[in-house]
Coordinates of all heavy atoms in Angstrom, one line a residue:
M1 N -5.9 8.3 -15.8 CA -5.8 7.9 -14.4 C -6.0 9.1 -13.5 O -5.4 10.1 -13.8 CB -4.5 7.2 -14.2 CG -4.5 6.6 -12.8 SD -3.1 5.5 -12.6 CE -2.3 6.2 -11.2
N2 N -6.7 9.0 -12.5 CA -6.9 10.0 -11.5 C -5.7 10.2 -10.7 O -5.3 9.3 -10.0 CB -8.2 9.7 -10.7 CG -8.5 10.8 -9.7 OD1 -7.8 11.7 -9.6 ND2 -9.6 10.6 -9.1
N3 N -5.1 11.4 -10.6 CA -3.9 11.6 -9.8 C -4.2 12.4 -8.6 O -3.3 12.9 -7.9 CB -2.9 12.4 -10.7 CG -2.3 11.5 -11.7 OD1 -2.1 10.3 -11.5 ND2 -2.0 12.1 -12.9
D4 N -5.4 12.5 -8.1 CA -5.7 13.2 -6.9 C -5.9 12.2 -5.7 O -6.6 12.5 -4.8 CB -6.9 14.1 -7.0 CG -8.2 13.3 -7.3 OD1 -8.1 12.2 -7.8 OD2 -9.3 13.9 -7.0
H5 N -5.1 11.1 -5.7 CA -5.1 10.2 -4.6 C -4.9 10.8 -3.2 O -5.5 10.4 -2.3 CB -4.1 9.0 -4.8 CG -4.3 8.3 -6.1 ND1 -5.4 7.6 -6.4 CD2 -3.5 8.3 -7.2 CE1 -5.3 7.1 -7.7 NE2 -4.1 7.5 -8.1
A6 N -3.9 11.7 -3.2 CA -3.6 12.3 -1.9 C -4.7 13.0 -1.3 O -4.8 13.1 0.0 CB -2.4 13.3 -2.1
S7 N -5.7 13.5 -2.0 CA -6.8 14.2 -1.4 C -7.7 13.3 -0.5 O -8.3 13.7 0.3 CB -7.7 14.8 -2.5 OG -8.3 13.8 -3.3
S8 N -7.6 11.9 -0.8 CA -8.3 11.0 0.1 C -7.4 10.4 1.2 O -7.8 9.6 1.9 CB -8.9 9.9 -0.8 OG -7.9 9.2 -1.4
D9 N -6.2 10.9 1.4 CA -5.3 10.5 2.4 C -5.5 11.2 3.7 O -5.3 12.4 3.7 CB -3.9 10.7 1.9 CG -2.8 10.2 2.9 OD1 -3.2 9.8 4.0 OD2 -1.7 10.1 2.5
P10 N -6.0 10.6 4.7 CA -6.3 11.3 6.0 C -5.1 11.8 6.7 O -5.3 12.6 7.6 CB -7.1 10.2 6.8 CG -6.5 8.9 6.3 CD -6.2 9.1 4.8
T11 N -3.9 11.4 6.3 CA -2.7 11.9 7.0 C -2.4 13.3 6.6 O -1.5 13.9 7.1 CB -1.6 11.0 6.8 OG1 -1.2 11.0 5.4 CG2 -1.8 9.5 7.2
G12 N -3.0 13.8 5.5 CA -2.7 15.1 5.0 C -1.6 15.1 4.1 O -1.1 16.2 3.6
S13 N -1.0 14.0 3.7 CA 0.1 13.9 2.8 C -0.3 14.3 1.4 O -1.4 14.1 1.0 CB 0.6 12.5 2.8 OG 1.6 12.3 1.8
T14 N 0.6 15.0 0.7 CA 0.3 15.4 -0.6 C 0.8 14.4 -1.6 O 0.7 14.6 -2.8 CB 1.0 16.8 -1.0 OG1 2.4 16.6 -0.8 CG2 0.4 17.9 -0.1
G15 N 1.3 13.3 -1.2 CA 1.7 12.2 -2.0 C 2.7 11.3 -1.4 O 3.1 11.6 -0.2
P16 N 3.1 10.3 -2.0 CA 3.9 9.3 -1.4 C 5.3 9.7 -1.0 O 5.9 9.2 -0.1 CB 4.0 8.1 -2.4 CG 3.5 8.7 -3.6 CD 2.7 9.9 -3.3
T17 N 5.8 10.8 -1.6 CA 7.2 11.2 -1.3 C 7.2 12.5 -0.5 O 8.2 13.2 -0.4 CB 8.0 11.4 -2.6 OG1 7.3 12.4 -3.4 CG2 8.2 10.1 -3.4
H18 N 6.0 12.9 0.0 CA 5.9 14.2 0.8 C 6.7 14.1 2.0 O 6.7 13.1 2.8 CB 4.4 14.4 1.1 CG 4.2 15.6 2.0 ND1 4.4 16.9 1.6 CD2 3.8 15.6 3.3 CE1 4.1 17.7 2.6 NE2 3.7 17.0 3.6
N19 N 7.5 15.1 2.3 CA 8.3 15.2 3.6 C 7.4 15.6 4.7 O 7.0 16.8 4.7 CB 9.5 16.1 3.4 CG 10.4 16.1 4.6 OD1 10.0 15.6 5.7 ND2 11.6 16.7 4.5
A20 N 7.1 14.8 5.6 CA 6.2 15.1 6.7 C 6.8 16.0 7.8 O 6.1 16.4 8.7 CB 5.6 13.8 7.3
G21 N 8.1 16.2 7.7 CA 8.8 17.1 8.7 C 8.9 16.4 10.0 O 8.9 15.2 10.2
A22 N 8.9 17.3 11.1 CA 9.1 16.8 12.4 C 7.9 15.9 12.9 O 8.1 15.1 13.8 CB 9.2 18.0 13.4
D23 N 6.8 16.0 12.3 CA 5.6 15.2 12.8 C 5.5 13.9 12.1 O 4.6 13.1 12.4 CB 4.3 16.0 12.5 CG 4.2 17.3 13.3 OD1 4.8 17.3 14.4 OD2 3.6 18.2 12.9
G24 N 6.3 13.6 11.1 CA 6.3 12.3 10.4 C 7.6 11.8 10.1 O 8.6 12.4 10.4
P25 N 7.6 10.6 9.4 CA 8.9 9.9 9.1 C 9.7 10.7 8.1 O 9.2 11.4 7.3 CB 8.5 8.6 8.6 CG 7.1 8.8 8.1 CD 6.5 9.9 8.9
D26 N 11.0 10.6 8.2 CA 11.9 11.1 7.2 C 11.8 10.2 6.0 O 12.0 9.0 6.0 CB 13.3 11.1 7.8 CG 14.4 11.6 6.8 OD1 14.0 11.8 5.6 OD2 15.5 11.7 7.2
P27 N 11.4 10.8 4.8 CA 11.2 10.0 3.6 C 12.5 9.3 3.1 O 12.4 8.3 2.4 CB 10.7 11.0 2.6 CG 11.1 12.3 3.1 CD 11.2 12.2 4.5
T28 N 13.7 9.7 3.6 CA 14.9 9.0 3.2 C 15.1 7.7 4.0 O 15.9 6.9 3.6 CB 16.1 9.9 3.4 OG1 16.2 10.2 4.8 CG2 16.0 11.1 2.5
S29 N 14.3 7.5 5.1 CA 14.5 6.4 5.9 C 13.3 5.4 5.7 O 13.3 4.3 6.3 CB 14.5 6.7 7.4 OG 13.3 7.3 7.8
T30 N 12.4 5.7 4.8 CA 11.2 4.8 4.6 C 11.2 4.5 3.1 O 11.7 5.2 2.3 CB 9.9 5.4 5.1 OG1 9.7 6.6 4.3 CG2 9.9 5.7 6.5
P31 N 10.5 3.4 2.7 CA 10.4 3.1 1.3 C 9.7 4.2 0.6 O 8.9 5.0 1.2 CB 9.5 1.8 1.2 CG 9.6 1.2 2.6 CD 9.9 2.4 3.5
A32 N 10.0 4.4 -0.7 CA 9.4 5.5 -1.5 C 7.9 5.3 -1.6 O 7.1 6.3 -1.5 CB 9.9 5.5 -2.9
A33 N 7.4 4.1 -1.7 CA 6.0 3.8 -1.7 C 5.4 3.7 -0.3 O 6.0 2.9 0.5 CB 5.7 2.6 -2.5
P34 N 4.3 4.3 0.0 CA 3.8 4.2 1.4 C 3.1 2.8 1.7 O 3.0 2.5 2.8 CB 2.8 5.3 1.5 CG 2.4 5.6 0.1 CD 3.6 5.3 -0.8
V35 N 2.8 2.1 0.6 CA 2.2 0.8 0.8 C 3.2 -0.3 0.4 O 3.7 -0.2 -0.8 CB 0.9 0.6 0.0 CG1 0.3 -0.8 0.2 CG2 -0.1 1.7 0.4
V36 N 3.5 -1.2 1.2 CA 4.5 -2.3 0.9 C 3.7 -3.6 1.0 O 3.2 -3.9 2.1 CB 5.7 -2.3 1.8 CG1 6.6 -3.5 1.4 CG2 6.5 -1.0 1.6
V37 N 3.7 -4.4 0.0 CA 3.1 -5.7 0.0 C 4.3 -6.7 0.0 O 5.0 -6.8 -1.0 CB 2.2 -5.9 -1.3 CG1 1.6 -7.3 -1.2 CG2 1.1 -4.8 -1.4
G38 N 4.4 -7.4 1.1 CA 5.6 -8.3 1.2 C 5.5 -9.5 0.3 O 4.6 -9.7 -0.4
R39 N 6.6 -10.3 0.3 CA 6.7 -11.4 -0.6 C 5.6 -12.5 -0.2 O 5.2 -12.5 1.0 CB 8.1 -12.1 -0.5 CG 8.4 -12.6 0.9 CD 9.9 -13.2 0.9 NE 10.3 -13.6 2.2 CZ 10.0 -14.7 2.8 NH1 9.2 -15.6 2.1 NH2 10.4 -15.0 4.0
P40 N 5.2 -13.3 -1.1 CA 4.2 -14.3 -0.9 C 4.7 -15.3 0.2 O 5.8 -15.7 0.1 CB 4.0 -15.0 -2.2 CG 4.4 -14.0 -3.2 CD 5.5 -13.3 -2.6
A41 N 3.9 -15.6 1.2 CA 4.2 -16.5 2.2 C 4.1 -17.9 1.7 O 3.2 -18.2 0.8 CB 3.3 -16.3 3.5
G42 N 4.8 -18.8 2.3 CA 4.7 -20.2 1.9 C 3.3 -20.8 2.0 O 2.9 -21.7 1.2
N43 N 2.6 -20.4 3.0 CA 1.2 -20.9 3.2 C 0.2 -20.0 2.6 O -1.0 -20.2 2.9 CB 1.0 -21.1 4.7 CG 1.1 -19.8 5.5 OD1 1.6 -18.8 5.0 ND2 0.7 -19.9 6.8
G44 N 0.6 -19.0 1.9 CA -0.4 -18.1 1.2 C -0.5 -16.8 1.9 O -0.4 -16.7 3.1
G45 N -0.8 -15.8 1.2 CA -1.0 -14.5 1.7 C 0.3 -13.6 1.6 O 1.4 -14.2 1.4
R46 N 0.1 -12.3 1.7 CA 1.2 -11.4 1.7 C 1.0 -10.4 2.8 O -0.1 -9.8 3.0 CB 1.4 -10.7 0.4 CG 1.7 -11.6 -0.8 CD 1.6 -10.9 -2.1 NE 2.9 -10.3 -2.4 CZ 3.5 -10.2 -3.6 NH1 2.8 -10.7 -4.6 NH2 4.6 -9.7 -3.8
R47 N 2.1 -10.1 3.6 CA 2.0 -9.1 4.7 C 1.9 -7.7 4.0 O 2.6 -7.4 3.0 CB 3.2 -9.1 5.6 CG 3.3 -10.3 6.4 CD 2.6 -10.1 7.7 NE 2.4 -11.3 8.5 CZ 1.3 -11.6 9.1 NH1 0.3 -10.8 9.2 NH2 1.2 -12.8 9.7
V48 N 1.1 -6.9 4.6 CA 0.9 -5.5 4.0 C 1.2 -4.5 5.1 O 0.7 -4.6 6.2 CB -0.6 -5.3 3.6 CG1 -0.8 -3.9 3.1 CG2 -0.9 -6.3 2.5
T49 N 2.0 -3.5 4.8 CA 2.3 -2.4 5.6 C 1.9 -1.1 4.9 O 2.1 -1.0 3.7 CB 3.8 -2.3 6.1 OG1 4.6 -2.2 4.9 CG2 4.2 -3.5 6.9
I50 N 1.3 -0.2 5.7 CA 0.9 1.1 5.2 C 1.6 2.2 6.0 O 1.4 2.2 7.2 CB -0.6 1.3 5.2 CG1 -1.3 0.2 4.4 CG2 -1.0 2.7 4.7 CD1 -2.8 0.1 4.5
R51 N 2.5 2.9 5.4 CA 3.3 3.9 6.1 C 4.0 3.3 7.3 O 3.9 3.8 8.4 CB 2.4 5.1 6.5 CG 1.9 5.9 5.3 CD 1.5 7.3 5.7 NE 0.8 7.9 4.5 CZ 1.3 8.4 3.4 NH1 2.6 8.3 3.3 NH2 0.6 8.9 2.5
A52 N 4.6 2.2 7.1 CA 5.4 1.4 8.0 C 4.6 0.8 9.2 O 5.2 0.4 10.2 CB 6.6 2.3 8.6
R53 N 3.3 0.8 9.1 CA 2.5 0.1 10.1 C 1.8 -1.1 9.5 O 1.3 -1.0 8.4 CB 1.4 1.1 10.6 CG 2.0 2.2 11.4 CD 0.8 3.0 12.0 NE 1.4 3.9 13.0 CZ 0.7 4.8 13.6 NH1 -0.7 4.9 13.4 NH2 1.2 5.6 14.5
S54 N 1.8 -2.2 10.2 CA 1.2 -3.4 9.8 C -0.3 -3.2 9.6 O -1.0 -2.7 10.4 CB 1.5 -4.5 10.8 OG 0.9 -5.8 10.3
A55 N -0.8 -3.7 8.4 CA -2.2 -3.6 8.1 C -2.8 -5.0 8.1 O -4.0 -5.1 8.3 CB -2.4 -3.0 6.7
G56 N -2.0 -6.0 7.9 CA -2.6 -7.4 8.0 C -2.0 -8.3 6.9 O -1.0 -7.9 6.2
L57 N -2.6 -9.4 6.7 CA -2.2 -10.4 5.8 C -3.2 -10.5 4.7 O -4.4 -10.8 4.9 CB -2.1 -11.8 6.4 CG -1.5 -12.9 5.6 CD1 -0.1 -12.7 5.2 CD2 -1.6 -14.3 6.3
A58 N -2.9 -10.1 3.5 CA -3.8 -10.1 2.3 C -3.7 -11.4 1.6 O -2.6 -11.9 1.3 CB -3.5 -9.0 1.4
H59 N -4.8 -12.0 1.2 CA -4.9 -13.3 0.5 C -5.4 -13.0 -0.9 O -5.5 -13.9 -1.8 CB -5.8 -14.3 1.1 CG -5.2 -14.8 2.4 ND1 -4.2 -15.9 2.4 CD2 -5.3 -14.5 3.7 CE1 -3.9 -16.1 3.6 NE2 -4.5 -15.3 4.4
S60 N -5.7 -11.7 -1.2 CA -6.3 -11.3 -2.5 C -6.2 -9.8 -2.7 O -6.0 -9.1 -1.7 CB -7.8 -11.7 -2.6 OG -8.5 -11.0 -1.7
D61 N -6.4 -9.3 -3.9 CA -6.5 -7.9 -4.1 C -7.6 -7.3 -3.3 O -7.5 -6.1 -2.9 CB -6.7 -7.6 -5.6 CG -5.4 -7.7 -6.4 OD1 -4.3 -7.8 -5.8 OD2 -5.5 -7.6 -7.7
A62 N -8.7 -8.0 -3.2 CA -9.9 -7.5 -2.4 C -9.4 -7.2 -0.9 O -9.8 -6.2 -0.4 CB -11.0 -8.5 -2.4
D63 N -8.6 -8.1 -0.4 CA -8.1 -7.9 1.0 C -7.3 -6.6 1.0 O -7.4 -5.8 1.9 CB -7.3 -9.1 1.5 CG -8.1 -10.3 1.8 OD1 -9.3 -10.3 1.9 OD2 -7.4 -11.4 1.9
L64 N -6.4 -6.5 0.1 CA -5.5 -5.3 0.0 C -6.3 -4.0 -0.1 O -6.0 -3.1 0.6 CB -4.5 -5.5 -1.2 CG -3.5 -4.4 -1.4 CD1 -2.7 -4.1 -0.1 CD2 -2.6 -4.8 -2.5
V65 N -7.3 -4.0 -1.0 CA -8.1 -2.9 -1.2 C -8.8 -2.5 0.1 O -8.9 -1.3 0.5 CB -9.1 -3.1 -2.4 CG1 -10.2 -2.0 -2.3 CG2 -8.3 -3.1 -3.7
E66 N -9.3 -3.5 0.8 CA -10.0 -3.3 2.1 C -9.0 -2.6 3.1 O -9.4 -1.7 3.8 CB -10.6 -4.5 2.7 CG -11.2 -4.4 4.0 CD -12.4 -3.4 4.0 OE1 -12.9 -3.0 3.0 OE2 -12.8 -3.0 5.1
F67 N -7.8 -3.1 3.2 CA -6.8 -2.5 4.1 C -6.5 -1.0 3.8 O -6.5 -0.2 4.6 CB -5.4 -3.3 4.1 CG -5.5 -4.7 4.6 CD1 -4.6 -5.6 4.1 CD2 -6.4 -5.1 5.5 CE1 -4.6 -6.9 4.5 CE2 -6.4 -6.4 6.0 CZ -5.5 -7.3 5.5
L68 N -6.4 -0.8 2.5 CA -6.2 0.6 2.0 C -7.4 1.5 2.3 O -7.3 2.7 2.7 CB -5.8 0.7 0.5 CG -4.5 -0.1 0.2 CD1 -4.3 -0.1 -1.3 CD2 -3.3 0.5 0.9
R69 N -8.6 0.9 2.1 CA -9.8 1.7 2.4 C -9.9 2.0 3.9 O -10.2 3.2 4.3 CB -11.1 0.9 2.0 CG -12.4 1.6 2.2 CD -13.6 0.7 2.2 NE -13.6 -0.2 3.3 CZ -14.0 0.1 4.5 NH1 -14.4 1.3 4.8 NH2 -14.0 -0.8 5.5
R70 N -9.5 1.1 4.7 CA -9.5 1.3 6.2 C -8.5 2.4 6.6 O -8.7 3.1 7.6 CB -9.2 0.0 7.0 CG -10.4 -1.0 6.9 CD -10.0 -2.2 7.7 NE -11.1 -3.2 7.5 CZ -11.0 -4.4 8.1 NH1 -9.9 -4.8 8.8 NH2 -12.0 -5.3 7.9
A71 N -7.4 2.5 5.8 CA -6.4 3.5 6.0 C -6.9 4.9 5.5 O -6.1 5.9 5.6 CB -5.1 3.1 5.4
G72 N -8.0 4.9 4.8 CA -8.5 6.2 4.3 C -8.3 6.4 2.8 O -8.7 7.5 2.3
L73 N -7.8 5.5 2.1 CA -7.6 5.6 0.7 C -8.8 5.0 -0.1 O -8.8 3.8 -0.4 CB -6.3 4.9 0.2 CG -5.0 5.6 0.9 CD1 -3.8 4.7 0.7 CD2 -4.8 6.9 0.3
L74 N -9.7 5.8 -0.3 CA -11.0 5.4 -0.9 C -10.9 4.9 -2.3 O -11.7 4.1 -2.7 CB -12.1 6.5 -0.7 CG -12.3 6.9 0.8 CD1 -13.3 8.0 0.8 CD2 -12.6 5.8 1.7
D75 N -10.0 5.4 -3.1 CA -9.8 5.0 -4.5 C -8.7 4.0 -4.6 O -7.9 4.0 -5.5 CB -9.6 6.2 -5.4 CG -8.4 7.1 -4.9 OD1 -7.9 6.8 -3.8 OD2 -8.1 8.0 -5.6
A76 N -8.6 3.1 -3.6 CA -7.5 2.1 -3.5 C -7.3 1.2 -4.8 O -6.2 0.9 -5.1 CB -7.7 1.2 -2.3
E77 N -8.4 0.9 -5.4 CA -8.2 0.0 -6.6 C -7.3 0.7 -7.7 O -6.6 0.0 -8.4 CB -9.6 -0.3 -7.3 CG -10.6 -0.9 -6.4 CD -11.4 0.1 -5.6 OE1 -11.4 1.3 -5.8 OE2 -12.0 -0.4 -4.6
D78 N -7.4 2.0 -7.8 CA -6.6 2.7 -8.7 C -5.1 2.8 -8.3 O -4.2 3.1 -9.2 CB -7.1 4.1 -8.9 CG -8.5 4.2 -9.4 OD1 -8.9 3.2 -10.1 OD2 -9.2 5.2 -9.2
L79 N -4.8 2.4 -7.1 CA -3.4 2.5 -6.6 C -2.6 1.3 -6.7 O -1.4 1.3 -6.7 CB -3.4 3.0 -5.1 CG -4.1 4.3 -4.8 CD1 -4.1 4.5 -3.3 CD2 -3.5 5.4 -5.5
L80 N -3.2 0.1 -6.9 CA -2.5 -1.1 -6.8 C -1.4 -1.3 -7.8 O -0.4 -1.9 -7.5 CB -3.5 -2.3 -6.9 CG -4.6 -2.4 -5.9 CD1 -5.4 -3.7 -6.1 CD2 -4.0 -2.4 -4.5
D81 N -1.5 -0.7 -9.0 CA -0.5 -0.8 -10.0 C 0.3 0.4 -10.2 O 1.1 0.6 -11.1 CB -1.2 -1.2 -11.4 CG -1.7 -2.6 -11.3 OD1 -1.0 -3.5 -10.8 OD2 -2.9 -2.8 -11.8
D82 N 0.2 1.3 -9.2 CA 1.0 2.6 -9.2 C 2.2 2.4 -8.3 O 2.1 2.4 -7.1 CB 0.1 3.7 -8.7 CG 0.8 5.1 -8.8 OD1 2.0 5.1 -9.0 OD2 0.1 6.1 -8.8
P83 N 3.4 2.3 -8.9 CA 4.6 2.1 -8.0 C 4.9 3.2 -7.1 O 5.7 3.0 -6.1 CB 5.7 1.8 -9.0 CG 5.2 2.4 -10.3 CD 3.7 2.3 -10.3
A84 N 4.4 4.4 -7.3 CA 4.6 5.5 -6.4 C 3.8 5.3 -5.1 O 4.1 5.9 -4.1 CB 4.1 6.8 -7.0
W85 N 2.8 4.4 -5.1 CA 2.0 4.2 -4.0 C 2.1 2.8 -3.4 O 2.1 2.6 -2.2 CB 0.5 4.4 -4.3 CG 0.1 5.8 -4.4 CD1 0.2 6.6 -5.4 CD2 -0.3 6.6 -3.2 NE1 -0.2 7.9 -5.1 CE2 -0.5 7.9 -3.7 CE3 -0.5 6.3 -1.9 CZ2 -0.9 8.9 -2.9 CZ3 -0.9 7.4 -1.1 CH2 -1.1 8.7 -1.6
V86 N 2.3 1.7 -4.3 CA 2.4 0.4 -3.8 C 3.7 -0.3 -4.3 O 4.0 -0.3 -5.5 CB 1.2 -0.5 -4.3 CG1 1.3 -1.9 -3.8 CG2 -0.1 0.2 -3.8
H87 N 4.5 -0.8 -3.4 CA 5.7 -1.6 -3.7 C 5.4 -3.1 -3.4 O 5.1 -3.5 -2.3 CB 6.9 -1.1 -2.9 CG 8.1 -2.0 -3.1 ND1 8.8 -2.0 -4.2 CD2 8.7 -2.9 -2.2 CE1 9.8 -2.9 -4.1 NE2 9.7 -3.4 -2.9
W88 N 5.5 -3.9 -4.5 CA 5.3 -5.3 -4.4 C 6.7 -6.0 -4.2 O 7.5 -5.9 -5.1 CB 4.6 -5.9 -5.6 CG 3.2 -5.4 -5.9 CD1 2.9 -4.2 -6.5 CD2 2.0 -6.0 -5.5 NE1 1.5 -4.1 -6.5 CE2 0.9 -5.2 -5.9 CE3 1.7 -7.2 -4.8 CZ2 -0.4 -5.5 -5.7 CZ3 0.4 -7.5 -4.6 CH2 -0.7 -6.7 -5.0
Q89 N 6.9 -6.6 -3.1 CA 8.2 -7.2 -2.8 C 8.2 -8.7 -3.3 O 7.3 -9.4 -3.1 CB 8.5 -7.3 -1.3 CG 8.8 -5.9 -0.7 CD 9.1 -6.0 0.8 OE1 8.6 -6.9 1.5 NE2 9.9 -5.1 1.3
E90 N 9.2 -9.0 -4.1 CA 9.4 -10.3 -4.7 C 8.1 -10.8 -5.3 O 7.0 -10.3 -5.1 CB 9.9 -11.3 -3.6 CG 11.2 -10.9 -3.0 CD 11.7 -11.9 -2.0 OE1 11.4 -13.1 -2.1 OE2 12.4 -11.5 -1.0
G91 N 8.2 -11.8 -6.1 CA 7.0 -12.4 -6.7 C 6.2 -11.4 -7.6 O 6.4 -10.2 -7.3
P92 N 5.4 -11.8 -8.5 CA 4.7 -10.9 -9.3 C 3.5 -10.2 -8.5 O 3.0 -10.8 -7.6 CB 4.1 -11.8 -10.4 CG 4.2 -13.2 -9.9 CD 5.2 -13.2 -8.9
P93 N 3.2 -9.0 -8.9 CA 2.0 -8.4 -8.2 C 0.7 -9.2 -8.4 O 0.6 -9.9 -9.4 CB 1.9 -7.0 -9.0 CG 3.3 -6.8 -9.5 CD 3.8 -8.2 -9.8
H94 N -0.2 -9.0 -7.5 CA -1.5 -9.6 -7.6 C -1.5 -11.1 -7.4 O -2.5 -11.8 -7.7 CB -2.2 -9.2 -8.9 CG -2.2 -7.8 -9.1 ND1 -3.0 -6.9 -8.5 CD2 -1.5 -7.1 -10.1 CE1 -2.7 -5.7 -8.9 NE2 -1.8 -5.8 -9.9
T95 N -0.4 -11.7 -6.9 CA -0.3 -13.1 -6.6 C -0.1 -13.2 -5.1 O 0.7 -12.4 -4.5 CB 0.8 -13.9 -7.4 OG1 2.0 -13.3 -7.0 CG2 0.5 -13.8 -8.9
Y96 N -0.7 -14.2 -4.5 CA -0.7 -14.3 -3.0 C -0.3 -15.6 -2.5 O -0.5 -15.9 -1.3 CB -2.1 -13.9 -2.5 CG -2.4 -12.4 -2.8 CD1 -3.0 -12.1 -4.0 CD2 -2.1 -11.4 -1.9 CE1 -3.2 -10.7 -4.3 CE2 -2.3 -10.1 -2.2 CZ -2.9 -9.7 -3.4 OH -3.1 -8.4 -3.7
G97 N 0.3 -16.4 -3.3 CA 0.8 -17.7 -2.8 C -0.2 -18.9 -3.1 O -1.1 -18.7 -3.8
P98 N 0.0 -20.0 -2.4 CA -0.9 -21.2 -2.6 C -2.3 -20.8 -2.4 O -2.7 -20.0 -1.5 CB -0.4 -22.2 -1.6 CG 1.0 -21.7 -1.2 CD 1.0 -20.2 -1.4
N99 N -3.2 -21.5 -3.2 CA -4.6 -21.3 -3.0 C -5.2 -22.2 -2.0 O -5.0 -23.2 -1.8 CB -5.3 -21.5 -4.4 CG -5.0 -20.4 -5.3 OD1 -4.6 -19.3 -4.9 ND2 -5.0 -20.7 -6.6

């Protein structure tokens, strides 16, 4: 697996647990993973946040990858199963609720 994900991060972070100092959030006050995929909604989809900012409602892995691509993570497909980068809240990963 390619571990140079941080090189494609436009924020300049060296990884998900990097302390951004005065210019960024305190890592002790934010989730360890910079990407949080919320629990499946009753009507389908999962809320996605990237570095505590709302990215949208994903209805598939393709939606999630697109949100990550827009955030500058060009190798997003490789990050979906990496718990250092993506935290899936409740429910199994890669499921998005009713079809």
Side-chain angles (χ1 to χ4, degrees):
M1 184 166 128
N2 182 353
N3 288 326
D4 64 336
H5 303 296
S7 65
S8 60
D9 183 348
T11 65
S13 172
T14 58
T17 58
H18 175 70
N19 183 348
D23 295 330
D26 177 353
T28 61
S29 66
T30 59
V35 179
V36 177
V37 182
R39 64 182 174 82
N43 59 350
R46 296 174 87 143
R47 290 271 169 220
V48 177
T49 59
I50 302 171
R51 298 199 187 283
R53 290 187 169 179
S54 179
L57 184 67
H59 290 276
S60 67
D61 281 352
D63 290 345
L64 180 54
V65 166
E66 178 62 14
F67 295 150
L68 297 176
R69 185 195 65 77
R70 289 179 186 177
L73 296 166
L74 303 180
D75 54 353
E77 302 86 16
D78 297 334
L79 302 178
L80 298 185
D81 292 314
D82 184 343
W85 282 90
V86 179
H87 172 69
W88 296 84
Q89 292 181 329
E90 300 181 30
H94 312 285
T95 60
Y96 295 87
N99 292 331

